[in-house]
Amino acid sequence: MKHIYKISGMTCGGCRNSVEQKLSGHDEVINVTVDLEQSEATIETKSHIPVEQLQAILPNKYAISEKQEQIVHATSKNENTSLNQTKTKLQELRPLFLIFGYISIASVLLNYKDWNTEEFMLDFMGLFYIVFSFFKFLDLKGFSQSFAMYDPLARVSSVYAWVYPFIELGLALLFLMRFQIPIALVVTIIILGISTFGVTKILLDKKSIQCACLGTVLKLPMTQATFIENSIMICMAIVMLTQIF
C-alpha cells in the first residue's frame, strides 16, 4: 500500500531527513519518500498504519495528516512499469557513475606513462575520498542525519557522523601524499566495513532511503551500487595491505 501524507513543520533538508528517518523506523513501513517543496511524504507500508501512530513517532514540531491513498498490488505491475522503474533508478544513479568514471580516468592518466597498479590504486582511493568528502561538506548537518539512517556507528554517535567527512578528507591527503599508507588502509577497511554492514542490512530489509555517500545535495537512492562502491574500496585496501605485509 502507498499512502500520501501532508507534513507541516519541515523547513530544510535536515527536517526532511529527520522525518524520513523517523518514519522509516516503523516496522510496517517499507519505503518513505519525503518531498520538502510539496510538504508531502509518500509511505509504502505492509499494512495500513493509523495516522496517529505515525504522528506519535515524529517530533512535536511536525504535524502529519493523510492526503490520499493509493493501493498498489505487486501482482498488477506489468513489464513496462518495471522497465520505467529501472530507468528511473539508473537516471538517479547517473551522478555516481559519472564521478566514478572521472575518478577512474584521472587515476589512469596520472599513471599511464609508467604504469604501476599500486600507484593507480592509491590515486584512485585518494581522489575517491577527496571528491566524496567535498559533497558531504556542502551540507554537514543533512549528511550526518542521512548517514545515521544506515551506518551503525553514526546511529549511536552523532559526533562520528559529523566527523566522518573530515576522516575522509584526511584519508584523501594520506593516500595522495603517500604518507602513513598502512594506517590509511586499515582505517578505510574499518569505516567502510561498518558502513557496508549497515548498507547490507538496509538492502536485505528492502527499505528505500537516501544514500549519503555524496551528501544530500545529490539525491541518490540506496541501491546495490552503494554496496559495490564500498566493496571496491575495501578490496583495494585489503590487496594493498597484503602487498605491504
Side-chain angles (χ1 to χ4, degrees), residues 98-132 172 175-176 178 232-233 236 240:
L98 283 174
I99 289 172
F100 248 84
Y102 271 89
I103 291 174
S104 299
I105 292 171
S107 301
V108 170
L109 292 177
L110 288 171
N111 296 278
Y112 81 97
K113 286 187 177 180
D114 187 17
W115 183 259
N116 184 301
T117 302
E118 182 177 339
E119 292 293 312
F120 162 79
M121 289 193 290
L122 288 173
D123 286 328
F124 181 92
M125 297 175 79
L127 293 173
F128 173 94
Y129 277 130
I130 207 163
V131 171
F132 277 62
F175 283 124
L176 294 175
R178 307 298 194 260
I232 289 174
M233 291 287 286
M236 282 188 174
M240 295 185 67

Side-chain angles (χ1 to χ4, degrees), residues 115-187:
W115 183 259
N116 184 301
T117 302
E118 182 177 339
E119 292 293 312
F120 162 79
M121 289 193 290
L122 288 173
D123 286 328
F124 181 92
M125 297 175 79
L127 293 173
F128 173 94
Y129 277 130
I130 207 163
V131 171
F132 277 62
S133 64
F134 165 78
F135 283 99
K136 293 178 177 69
F137 278 120
L138 293 177
D139 181 14
L140 274 174
K141 182 179 180 181
F143 162 75
S144 64
Q145 292 175 339
S146 293
F147 194 46
M149 293 179 68
Y150 61 89
D151 185 273
L153 187 53
R155 185 171 298 171
V156 298
S157 173
S158 59
V159 174
Y160 175 71
W162 277 88
V163 170
Y164 188 85
F166 294 92
I167 296 175
E168 284 197 335
L169 180 59
L171 291 172
L173 296 176
L174 292 180
F175 283 124
L176 294 175
M177 296 173 65
R178 307 298 194 260
F179 181 72
Q180 296 292 343
I181 297 301
I183 294 176
L185 292 172
V186 171
V187 174

Side-chain angles (χ1 to χ4, degrees), residues 129 184-194 233-235 237-239 241:
Y129 277 130
L185 292 172
V186 171
V187 174
T188 291
I189 294 172
I190 293 174
I191 65 172
L192 291 185
I194 294 173
M233 291 287 286
I234 292 173
C235 289
I238 292 174
V239 169
L241 271 179

